[in-house]
Amino acid sequence: MADPIHLLHFADVHIGMENYGRLDPSTGTSSRVRDFLDRLDEVIDFGIEHEMDLAVFAGDAFKNRDPEPTQQREFAARIKRLADAVPTLLLVGNHDMPGMAAKASSMDIFQALDVPGVILGARPEGRVIETRNGPVFLAWMPYPSRNRLLARDEYQGNSIEELEMALRKVVAEILGDLALQAEAHDMPRVLAGHLAAAEAKLGSERTVMLGRDVAVFTSTLAEPAWDYVALGHIHKHQDLNPGGRPPVVYSGSLERIDFGEEGEPKGFCWVELERGGTRWSFHQVQARPFKTVHVDARDQSDPTEATLAAVEGMSLAGAVVRLIIRLRADQQTGFREREVEAGLGEASSVVIVREVETEARARLGDLSPEALTPIQLVDIFFQTRQEAPERQQALLGRAEELMRDTG
Ligand SMILES: [Mn+2]
């Protein structure tokens, strides 16, 4: 039997995310942009070292539709390195697409220049790709955008639900057609898609969403025609068809965007493609760690010292740190943030979140909010606002009326 074909699958690079970064004066860019580019380098280094035969980038190169020239240049330099080595699919994700169908995507430049080795996935298509280890049938489905797929007049005046159904049907038809094409080829077959699968567990893509997704059922993707389905769009790495054939895999994004991803590994997929017998593995990259530290200083005489003592010995070097500190209201002014930040000097960035015990919390005492009726909670809220008692009563009366009307 021939050697398997080695496929490198990665997605959601999102160059241009700058949150939790600092300006790097030597390059004029955010340290976080640097992070994202470094991760991309890691992926490409791995592929080249392990003699990949084919690379699939499953979409979303940039943070937004209008990336800065510096970011475009840095992305292009890396794609050039990939494409010089192996055939490389660049799938167009929703973040790469312009708002209007007639405008160019941030990836179109690769097609205009006809960069050797680059295959641009701007429209659904399938074709045989020759690799040094033999041919592969590679098909792709860029992000199913409403205004592209449902631009026709026949959908004018339809409800959101009707449009949703229509879009889902169009996508299923396209995927069905690609699977039919695949079946005519006796060779390993790969489907690449940038889309939301209905059964996927969501990740940080929600924080950067541009609109509502149409959700594609996993059963539409898990066609036996395919040997591997390489997905992008959802930032959480996952296999939607575990143990089954074909694997239907989100490689996930390469860097964390928010603290919701704190505990999630980040990386790419390395696939050994064989008709009917594909194996794949997930490889982690050195994504910058995100760490949340909780300190409860309410019983401490010096909350600053207590915090410094609590973080002492924690391995926070290079991490994006979120410090959540619980304080009594009277400790607010005594808490010296600058000193705490200095004490966390090894972290790459620090966010301090104060959770101050308000009078309302204190007044709740041992009562849990769940044990109170909505109107009782509203009452407590108005009390903390320190409105005049008559006004409080008037507001409470209004609130009661509103709740009756809407309830
Ligand atoms: Mn996306």
Side-chain angles (χ1 to χ4, degrees):
M1 189 137 190
D3 278 349
I5 290 169
H6 289 103
L7 164 73
L8 181 72
H9 163 209
F10 64 102
D12 296 280
V13 181
H14 287 294
I15 296 162
M17 297 299 306
E18 294 184 344
N19 44 355
Y20 309 114
R22 334 178 148 167
L23 188 73
D24 171 4
S26 65
T27 58
T29 53
S30 159
S31 59
R32 287 295 283 157
V33 171
R34 189 74 249 161
D35 282 350
F36 284 70
L37 291 169
D38 288 348
R39 295 301 82 71
L40 185 50
D41 284 335
E42 266 186 66
V43 176
I44 297 168
D45 285 346
F46 182 100
I48 289 174
E49 250 166 60
H50 293 79
E51 301 188 338
M52 64 185 155
D53 300 304
L54 179 66
V56 167
F57 167 56
D60 277 358
F62 300 104
K63 180 195 172 188
N64 59 36
R65 296 155 170 170
D66 306 297
E68 288 171 19
T70 310
Q71 292 165 12
Q72 292 184 47
R73 180 193 66 193
E74 295 305 307
F75 178 72
R78 286 160 177 84
I79 293 307
K80 175 78 178 129
R81 194 168 156 236
L82 253 186
D84 278 349
V86 291
T88 300
L89 173 68
L90 295 187
L91 190 58
V92 175
N94 50 321
H95 287 254
D96 309 315
M97 277 180 182
M100 276 171 58
K103 286 192 180 176
S105 81
S106 53
M107 307 267 234
D108 282 359
I109 186 80
F110 292 97
Q111 192 159 52
L113 294 173
D114 197 12
V115 179
V118 169
I119 306 152
L120 186 75
R123 330 208 157 285
E125 199 186 325
R127 90 170 73 128
V128 175
I129 306 292
E130 296 295 339
T131 80
R132 61 183 155 217
N133 243 329
V136 175
F137 182 81
L138 179 62
W140 53 87
M141 174 78 205
Y143 182 74
S145 106
R146 279 189 172 64
N147 53 6
R148 247 149 259 251
L149 294 173
L150 298 183
R152 284 159 290 169
D153 296 340
E154 58 184 289
Y155 300 105
Q156 291 287 327
N158 285 24
S159 71
I160 290 175
E161 288 72 26
E162 286 166 334
L163 286 175
E164 195 74 27
M165 294 297 288
L167 189 56
R168 211 175 244 179
K169 194 159 155 258
V170 170
V171 173
E173 276 166 13
I174 294 169
L175 292 173
D177 179 57
L178 292 172
L180 265 181
Q181 289 181 42
E183 274 163 6
H185 294 87
D186 184 23
M187 57 183 71
R189 307 150 179 174
V190 176
L191 171 67
H194 190 92
L195 42 81
E199 294 85 349
K201 289 190 192 73
L202 300 181
S204 63
E205 69 289 335
R206 282 168 297 173
T207 54
V208 291
M209 283 268 286
L210 302 167
R212 222 155 46 84
D213 291 323
V214 60
V216 179
F217 291 117
T218 302
S219 56
T220 314
L221 297 160
E223 276 287 327
W226 307 114
D227 294 303
Y228 185 78
V229 179
L231 298 178
H233 187 54
I234 304 290
H235 291 180
K236 185 182 172 64
H237 164 63
Q238 57 199 297
D239 179 3
L240 296 173
N241 192 19
R245 289 186 195 285
V248 178
V249 183
Y250 282 104
S251 60
S253 53
L254 296 176
E255 271 287 339
R256 299 180 180 91
I257 292 177
D258 60 37
F259 284 90
E261 299 180 285
E262 190 168 336
E264 282 175 16
K266 292 288 162 197
F268 59 92
C269 298
W270 180 243
V271 187
E272 292 177 47
L273 265 184
E274 258 168 322
R275 179 84 273 266
T278 293
R279 292 170 304 279
W280 67 276
S281 52
F282 176 71
H283 293 257
Q284 285 199 47
V285 291
Q286 301 297 310
R288 190 170 292 286
F290 274 47
K291 289 190 175 163
T292 301
V293 178
H294 291 272
V295 176
D296 186 348
R298 287 173 302 168
D299 295 332
Q300 305 291 329
S301 53
D302 185 339
T304 310
E305 288 304 323
T307 304
L308 288 170
V311 299
E312 169 119 28
M314 285 186 174
S315 54
L316 300 172
V320 174
V321 175
R322 173 173 63 171
L323 172 71
I324 299 180
I325 170 118
R326 298 195 70 179
L327 297 167
R328 297 188 315 267
D330 63 291
Q331 288 174 309
Q332 280 258 63
T333 45
F335 183 61
R336 305 181 297 278
E337 279 194 18
R338 290 280 166 277
E339 256 177 68
V340 171
E341 280 168 5
L344 289 165
E346 299 217 306
S348 116
S349 87
V350 179
V351 185
I352 295 176
V353 182
R354 293 171 180 234
E355 279 188 353
V356 180
E357 189 176 63
T358 61
E359 280 179 52
R361 275 277 160 198
R363 193 174 289 119
L364 279 175
D366 291 335
L367 281 175
S368 76
E370 293 75 27
L372 300 170
T373 66
I375 205 68
Q376 283 173 316
L377 287 167
V378 173
D379 188 13
I380 291 167
F381 170 71
F382 286 141
Q383 287 175 41
T384 64
R385 294 274 302 267
Q386 299 181 338
E387 303 275 7
E390 319 79 72
R391 187 158 160 74
Q392 269 182 38
Q393 278 312 308
L395 286 168
L396 205 58
R398 255 324 265 148
E400 261 174 324
E401 275 173 43
L402 277 172
M403 282 184 197
R404 258 202 316 274
D405 292 349
T406 55

